[in-house]
Amino acid sequence: MNLDTFTISALADEFQETIIGGRIQDVIDVDALGIGLEIYANRMRRYLYLSADSHHPRLHLVDAKLRRGISKPTQLGLLLRRYAEGGLLTRVTQPAWERILELEIEARDDRLRIIAELMPRRANILLVQDGIILDCLKRVGPEENRYRLSLPNHEYIPPPPIRGQMDPAAVTEADIQNLLASVEKESTQIRRLLPGRILGLSPLLAREIAFRATGDPGARAADADASQFFAAFRDVMAPLLQRQWQPGFGAIEGLPEAFSVFPLTHITWRGTETVSAALQSCLSAITGADAYKEAKKPVQAAIDDTKTKLRAKIESLRRGLRDEGELQRLRQAGELILAYQYALAAGQAELRAHYDMNGPELVVALDPDQSPLENAQAYFRRYEKAKSAAEALPALIRETRLELDFADQLESDLEAAANWPEIDDVIQILQSRGHWVGARLKRIGGGGRGGPLRLVSRDGYVIWVGRNSRQNEQVTFKTAKAGDIWLHARDVPGAHVVIRNDGRRISDTLITEAAAVAAWYSKRRSDVNVPVDYTRVKYVKAIKGAGPGMVSYRSESTLSVQPHDESILN
């Protein structure tokens, strides 16, 4: 799914109607290869996303606010903030038959161009002033391309012009006949023949022509009738050449498969209002929680590593536990040596004796270089050490188990994080508990830490929702009062939800609705029924030594509810 010449032309027309004449109010580093522009035009804020991703370069409007998805801004992003913010977007142009779109900007006394080169593998976004590159997302030096350098302070050189391809507006039936006759291999498919021979013909466009001509999108050129081929060609190309765009996407089994600005008949077709909407339907999300997918990966890796180490530690501690029989054997060995010390010969290597006349004979290994008393003392020391370990290890296992549970909670926090401060909360806790490998990070993302969600029910009750560990700690132990109602999904990581007791009777209906919200903000959001415990805040206690927000509670009741977001309270 790549942008072809006609889709880029359609985008240019869409931008002409929507954002040309608008003012650039903000520049956002969405990801390592993507830049976002917030543009105020026609009394509306719009968000334009430009990506130089090698596999799926893209340029389109999005229907939600773009958010910064990387901790360190790109150099191009910094320069765009310096030169382009506050500027007016005055013009959009596309070089003939090129997969390039140029946005012209007037900013103070500067005239700039943002050039989006949207060819797979060679995609790039460049900022150019007076023909000189200020910077770009991908720097290309002479070792990669001697003809076109994409480097700061170098002249911008457009791609070489396309030669040897036919203009689709001038193609005749005779041209199609000659084209089919030129095929050397019988196995050559139409979808591979047309691109490279006719300007603007993408593989998707060629498949559609093949299907309309033969009924098979993968048809061979050798099986095509020139007359039917030409008729299908004209049928597809006529509206495109007249810039009569029909945006939408093709779907297979309900899933978007390909976008285009002409109807696809070889797969299920769904029209959209705009070209940008068609692109958004097919390409991965860059707004909402998914906007931070890449940013979350190293944090998730740290959590995975932490959980692996904690599980290994628990297993090691369990192996270190000695059962009561082993402890008894060590003590009995020492006592037997003392009982038989005068019967032991010098240099004897083992003692065989019955500790219990009705029990089996015990074989006690001896150190021949030590006296019987020294051998006995060695066994008693081992016994005391094993006894101490047996007493301490269960507590260590419990502590490690708590830390593993807390790592599960952090994983839930990360999954729910919808902005940089919330991701940063997870990172800071990992660092503070020694689970972050490498250099300690400074706070990222800017801005203050997010607070708990404050809701008001239709009856005027205030309800607090902690959406991560830090917020849970705040909700339960700083915001809530002893008589408030506290709710939490049972046995899974999730939100602490508190219904403020304002002196009125809290109805069962409100408790059930708050329980649905607690289930929604838990690890079991996708389940049909989730058990949720509730009790008074005075019965909730922090677990000593555990992570923030980790609690124990008593005197609880349990509801089984279907998860629902906070709109259930309205």
Side-chain angles (χ1 to χ4, degrees):
M1 291 187 291
N2 291 310
L3 290 165
D4 61 20
T5 298
F6 291 108
T7 303
I8 294 170
S9 298
L11 284 168
D13 288 353
E14 179 183 320
F15 298 161
Q16 188 66 45
E17 295 177 359
T18 54
I19 59 175
I20 296 304
R23 188 174 300 277
I24 298 173
Q25 295 188 319
D26 194 13
V27 176
I28 306 108
D29 285 286
V30 178
D31 50 55
L33 293 173
I35 294 288
L37 301 178
E38 180 184 299
I39 302 167
Y40 188 77
N42 300 318
R43 299 183 180 181
M44 289 183 62
R45 281 188 179 85
R46 300 181 185 271
Y47 294 89
L48 180 67
Y49 179 60
L50 308 89
S51 173
D53 182 88
S54 296
H55 299 290
H56 298 295
R58 55 203 283 199
L59 169 65
H60 58 87
L61 295 170
V62 299
D63 55 12
K65 184 176 181 179
L66 289 169
R67 301 182 183 276
R68 183 151 62 96
I70 55 177
S71 57
K72 184 178 179 181
T74 62
Q75 188 64 30
L76 179 62
L78 292 172
L79 286 174
L80 282 167
R81 289 182 187 90
R82 176 181 174 185
Y83 288 100
E85 278 190 5
L88 292 176
L89 193 58
T90 59
R91 191 179 177 206
V92 56
T93 58
Q94 176 192 21
W97 301 113
E98 292 286 1
R99 286 180 288 178
I100 296 174
L101 211 57
E102 299 184 8
L103 304 173
E104 297 185 14
I105 302 165
E106 288 185 5
R108 296 178 289 276
D109 297 327
D110 297 322
R111 290 181 179 272
L112 308 165
R113 285 186 297 160
I114 298 176
I115 301 177
E117 298 182 343
L118 302 167
M119 301 81 75
R121 297 187 301 278
R122 302 190 302 278
N124 208 347
I125 308 295
L126 307 97
L127 180 61
V128 176
Q129 182 181 40
D130 298 327
I132 302 300
I133 299 171
L134 297 181
D135 213 333
C136 47
L137 279 179
K138 293 180 181 177
R139 297 182 176 182
V140 180
E143 68 281 356
E144 298 174 75
N145 192 325
R146 293 183 181 180
Y147 174 72
R148 297 184 67 228
L149 302 182
S150 296
L151 295 171
N153 301 317
H154 282 68
E155 179 185 1
Y156 174 72
I157 299 174
I162 299 173
R163 301 185 186 280
Q165 294 188 26
M166 293 184 287
D167 183 339
V171 170
T172 65
E173 184 173 341
D175 292 327
I176 294 295
Q177 195 162 13
N178 291 334
L179 187 63
L180 294 175
S182 69
V183 175
E184 296 180 357
K185 294 183 179 179
E186 287 191 4
S187 60
T188 301
Q189 295 178 322
I190 293 173
R191 65 186 180 91
R192 299 189 183 279
L193 173 66
L194 296 186
R197 299 289 193 95
I198 301 176
L199 289 168
L201 266 289
S202 64
L204 179 64
L205 190 53
R207 281 200 299 272
E208 179 62 22
I209 292 171
F211 180 78
R212 295 192 190 189
T214 69
D216 179 8
R220 300 183 307 167
D223 297 332
D225 175 80
S227 177
Q228 292 178 335
F229 193 135
F230 181 63
F233 176 82
R234 284 191 308 176
D235 185 44
V236 173
M237 295 301 302
L240 296 177
L241 294 172
Q242 296 173 25
R243 303 181 81 90
Q244 296 175 355
W245 315 121
Q246 301 172 75
F249 62 89
I252 297 178
E253 295 184 356
L255 298 177
E257 181 71 16
F259 55 79
S260 71
V261 290
F262 54 90
L264 299 174
T265 59
H266 65 278
I267 54 178
T268 303
W269 171 253
R270 296 180 183 176
T272 57
E273 290 188 9
T274 65
V275 187
S276 291
L279 268 65
Q280 274 198 278
S281 297
C282 292
L283 299 173
S284 60
I286 51 169
T287 58
D290 282 348
Y292 299 94
K293 186 176 180 180
E294 289 300 315
K296 290 179 180 181
K297 284 184 178 179
V299 189
Q300 182 63 54
I303 293 173
D304 290 342
D305 184 59
T306 296
K307 292 171 69 174
T308 298
K309 289 178 179 178
L310 290 172
R311 290 191 186 102
K313 182 178 179 181
I314 290 172
E315 186 59 32
S316 176
L317 290 171
R318 285 173 176 164
R319 287 198 301 268
L321 284 172
R322 292 179 181 270
D323 60 26
E324 187 64 29
E326 176 66 8
L327 286 173
Q328 256 188 352
R329 193 192 70 78
L330 290 171
R331 179 177 56 80
Q332 290 173 353
E335 292 176 354
L336 280 174
I337 294 172
L338 290 179
Y340 287 91
Q341 61 181 312
Y342 299 109
L344 295 175
Q348 188 171 331
E350 68 177 22
L351 166 65
R352 292 178 175 268
H354 288 272
Y355 185 87
D356 183 350
M357 294 306 298
N358 296 321
E361 183 182 57
L362 297 181
V363 179
V364 180
L366 302 172
D367 184 343
D369 296 328
Q370 292 184 343
S371 68
L373 181 59
E374 289 172 332
N375 271 287
Q377 289 174 337
Y379 272 102
F380 287 136
R381 283 194 298 271
R382 288 170 60 190
Y383 166 73
E384 291 298 332
K385 184 177 180 181
K387 182 180 177 183
S388 297
E391 292 170 352
L393 284 176
L396 287 174
I397 290 173
R398 284 193 298 272
E399 290 175 11
T400 309
R401 181 72 248 180
L402 279 174
E403 192 69 5
L404 182 58
D405 290 343
F406 185 56
D408 287 336
Q409 177 65 54
L410 288 180
E411 185 172 42
S412 180
D413 293 353
L414 182 65
E415 183 179 342
N419 53 52
W420 266 114
E422 291 176 3
I423 296 173
D424 185 54
D425 278 339
V426 179
I427 294 173
Q428 299 300 316
I429 292 173
L430 285 169
Q431 290 179 336
S432 68
R433 302 184 78 82
H435 298 316
W436 188 270
V437 178
R440 187 177 179 86
L441 298 182
K442 298 179 181 179
R443 273 193 63 83
I444 55 178
R449 286 185 166 186
L453 185 63
R454 182 182 184 273
L455 307 171
V456 180
S457 74
R458 68 181 71 87
D459 297 325
Y461 287 90
V462 174
I463 298 171
W464 294 95
V465 181
R467 291 165 292 176
N468 61 30
S469 303
R470 179 184 59 79
Q471 293 180 16
N472 283 345
E473 184 87 0
Q474 180 178 339
V475 162
T476 302
F477 299 113
K478 295 180 181 179
T479 304
K481 306 298 182 184
D484 295 345
I485 300 293
W486 181 91
L487 306 96
H488 190 279
R490 176 184 282 186
D491 296 333
V492 292
H496 292 195
V497 176
V498 169
I499 305 174
R500 174 59 55 84
N501 184 353
D502 60 7
R504 294 179 290 164
R505 177 183 173 276
I506 299 174
S507 68
D508 292 342
T509 298
L510 181 58
I511 292 175
T512 300
E513 291 172 348
V517 174
W520 178 265
Y521 286 101
S522 80
K523 198 77 171 176
R524 295 187 61 179
R525 173 185 291 192
S526 59
D527 290 2
V528 175
N529 289 298
V530 178
V532 176
D533 293 336
Y534 67 96
T535 187
R536 297 285 178 180
V537 168
K538 64 182 179 181
Y539 297 126
V540 182
K541 305 296 180 186
I543 299 176
K544 186 177 180 180
M550 300 292 286
V551 300
S552 62
Y553 52 89
R554 59 186 177 86
S555 302
E556 74 275 9
S557 300
T558 305
L559 290 171
S560 182
V561 297
Q562 182 174 353
H564 200 294
D565 65 23
E566 54 270 24
S567 65
I568 195 175
L569 298 167
N570 299 331

